[in-house]
Amino acid sequence: MLFCNRPYDHMHITYGGKTSACSWASKRLIGNLSEQSVTEIYESPDAEALRESIEDQSFRYCDKVSCPYLSNNSLPDLTPQQFKKEKEKRLANGPTNFNIAYDYTCNHACPSCRNGLFVTDPNYRKMMKTLEQNLLPHLGNAQYIEACGNGDIFSSKYMMDLLNRVKPDDKNCLIELETNGVLVKRNWDKVAHLEEYKLRVIVTPNSFERETYKILSGGFDNLSQTMESLDFLAHLRQEKKIKEFIITMVMQKENFREVPSFIQTCLERFQADKIQLRPLLPWFHLHHDLNFQLKDLTNPKHPDYKEFVEVMKHPLCTHPKVLHWSGNNY
């Protein structure tokens, strides 16, 4: 039986407090953290229905393309007895894994996720405070914390304040910070205490070519700051102050030809532990884009599809440090 731990120990909290077990099981929300407690959500009928979809092996609420575990067939295959043991162990502990993705604040306006800069208002600020109050008491018992927001954590006062207060009891807690990289070096002092834990940093520059970078960031020309931050993180990795350093590219028509050189720079200059190649997926505002298929390079009808497939055949794309997010069967 394929086992996914997320419905048993994970909470993914997104904009407005909407809560699912993970971002790839968003077809079945399990609650709203702005209106309910963590415990109420975890024990809700919707949460139980999601667990049943794993136990009956239908995975009917999961997006099997977006999920890298289903796409790459990497979920553990357990006996029924092992499955039951893993399930009961997690249910006894309650939620210990938290993906904090409820803040849209960002210093970029990447066309792959938004139409412009996000502007807050008093109601938004009040909601951020409510979500933090409901969540923070549970983070002391966390075994895994992912903080990526739906924006950039280092450009957000709310995320910086929250992370500055996060101090899990378990020093083996895996803490994952995802960012576009621009403000990492400038604001690292606010999260430096997290170096005591198993700290993973993921940076999503999408391009190292200035003009491409500018287009994909929504017109912002701060590549130099991003490269400086990447060098800074590479140095922290060498000093073992961070435990894993990952660089991600969301492949789009503007940057897919740069993939081999992007990988080479990640390997040679930044010595990344992993390079993730993500196809453009219908996330954020693209979820409602009627022309999305024309933007998806993995779609055989895309005019650049054949060239994209040839680029993916480059030897560097098969490097052991390269992960094809949705599988490499293009």
Side-chain angles (χ1 to χ4, degrees), residues 176-179 200-204 246-248 276 278:
E176 182 175 297
L177 307 179
E178 184 169 344
T179 170
R200 173 190 292 157
V201 181
I202 302 174
V203 186
T204 56
I246 300 173
I247 305 177
T248 297
Q276 296 181 151
R278 294 188 184 184

Side-chain angles (χ1 to χ4, degrees), residues 67-124:
C67 174
Y69 303 104
L70 290 172
S71 293
N72 288 282
N73 193 29
S74 59
L75 288 175
D77 193 356
L78 307 182
T79 65
Q81 293 77 14
Q82 291 171 328
F83 191 106
K84 182 181 179 182
K85 183 178 179 180
E86 290 297 323
K87 166 188 169 181
E88 291 177 348
K89 177 177 67 175
R90 287 169 169 78
L91 288 175
N93 294 329
T96 55
N97 297 0
F98 298 91
N99 185 339
I100 308 167
Y102 54 67
D103 186 5
Y104 271 19
T105 307
C106 193
N107 55 329
H108 278 175
C110 303
S112 57
C113 68
R114 60 188 68 207
N115 291 316
L117 283 176
F118 179 73
V119 180
T120 66
D121 59 29
N123 289 332
Y124 185 85

Side-chain angles (χ1 to χ4, degrees), residues 246-315:
I246 300 173
I247 305 177
T248 297
M249 172 191 273
V250 178
M251 298 180 293
Q252 303 163 65
K253 64 183 180 66
E254 294 86 356
N255 68 356
F256 78 91
R257 297 175 182 87
E258 302 170 14
V259 167
S261 62
F262 183 91
I263 294 172
Q264 187 167 14
T265 300
C266 291
L267 292 171
E268 295 180 358
R269 175 170 173 175
F270 304 125
Q271 299 180 50
D273 295 292
K274 186 184 298 180
I275 301 98
Q276 296 181 151
L277 300 179
R278 294 188 184 184
L280 189 66
L281 294 168
W283 293 337
F284 308 108
H285 80 99
L286 290 177
H287 181 68
H288 305 288
D289 190 335
L290 297 177
N291 296 315
F292 173 76
Q293 286 189 334
L294 299 178
K295 300 177 181 180
D296 177 15
L297 291 164
T298 66
N299 176 13
K301 294 182 180 180
H302 192 285
D304 295 322
Y305 172 73
K306 290 184 179 179
E307 186 180 0
F308 168 72
V309 171
E310 288 304 310
V311 171
M312 291 300 101
K313 292 178 182 178
H314 192 283

Side-chain angles (χ1 to χ4, degrees), residues 20 27 32 54 67 135 164 184 187 194 199 210 267 273:
S20 58
K27 296 176 184 178
N32 190 308
I54 307 302
C67 174
L135 180 62
N164 188 250
V184 170
N187 290 313
L194 299 178
L199 184 57
R210 188 167 298 277
L267 292 171
D273 295 292

Side-chain angles (χ1 to χ4, degrees), residues 27-213:
K27 296 176 184 178
R28 185 87 185 210
L29 295 178
I30 60 175
N32 190 308
L33 193 61
S34 68
E35 302 168 355
Q36 301 167 275
S37 69
V38 165
T39 302
E40 287 171 336
I41 294 171
Y42 186 73
E43 296 176 352
S44 69
D46 289 310
E48 183 57 34
L50 184 61
R51 292 176 195 128
E52 288 174 359
S53 75
I54 307 302
E55 290 160 21
D56 66 20
Q57 297 289 277
S58 68
F59 294 86
R60 56 186 173 276
Y61 302 120
C62 304
D63 189 322
K64 297 173 185 178
V65 174
S66 299
C67 174
Y69 303 104
L70 290 172
S71 293
N72 288 282
N73 193 29
S74 59
L75 288 175
D77 193 356
L78 307 182
T79 65
Q81 293 77 14
Q82 291 171 328
F83 191 106
K84 182 181 179 182
K85 183 178 179 180
E86 290 297 323
K87 166 188 169 181
E88 291 177 348
K89 177 177 67 175
R90 287 169 169 78
L91 288 175
N93 294 329
T96 55
N97 297 0
F98 298 91
N99 185 339
I100 308 167
Y102 54 67
D103 186 5
Y104 271 19
T105 307
C106 193
N107 55 329
H108 278 175
C110 303
S112 57
C113 68
R114 60 188 68 207
N115 291 316
L117 283 176
F118 179 73
V119 180
T120 66
D121 59 29
N123 289 332
Y124 185 85
R125 293 191 284 274
K126 182 180 178 181
M127 180 178 66
M128 290 295 106
K129 189 66 176 176
T130 298
L131 291 169
E132 180 179 310
Q133 289 174 341
N134 288 344
L135 180 62
L136 192 60
H138 294 269
L139 298 183
N141 295 322
Q143 295 177 0
Y144 171 67
I145 298 171
E146 180 180 1
C148 61
N150 273 317
D152 184 76
I153 58 173
F154 288 95
S155 68
S156 167
K157 174 185 181 301
Y158 313 110
M159 295 302 294
M160 287 290 95
D161 286 349
L162 175 66
L163 290 170
N164 188 250
R165 298 172 66 187
V166 167
K167 294 178 176 64
D169 296 331
D170 185 355
K171 293 299 181 181
N172 288 317
C173 178
L174 172 59
I175 300 178
E176 182 175 297
L177 307 179
E178 184 169 344
T179 170
N180 60 36
V182 178
L183 299 173
V184 170
K185 186 175 182 181
R186 184 187 303 178
N187 290 313
W188 189 257
D189 62 301
K190 297 180 178 67
V191 297
H193 67 286
L194 299 178
E195 293 172 6
E196 299 176 16
Y197 301 91
K198 293 172 64 177
L199 184 57
R200 173 190 292 157
V201 181
I202 302 174
V203 186
T204 56
N206 290 329
S207 176
F208 298 138
E209 302 294 331
R210 188 167 298 277
E211 287 307 311
T212 308
Y213 177 95

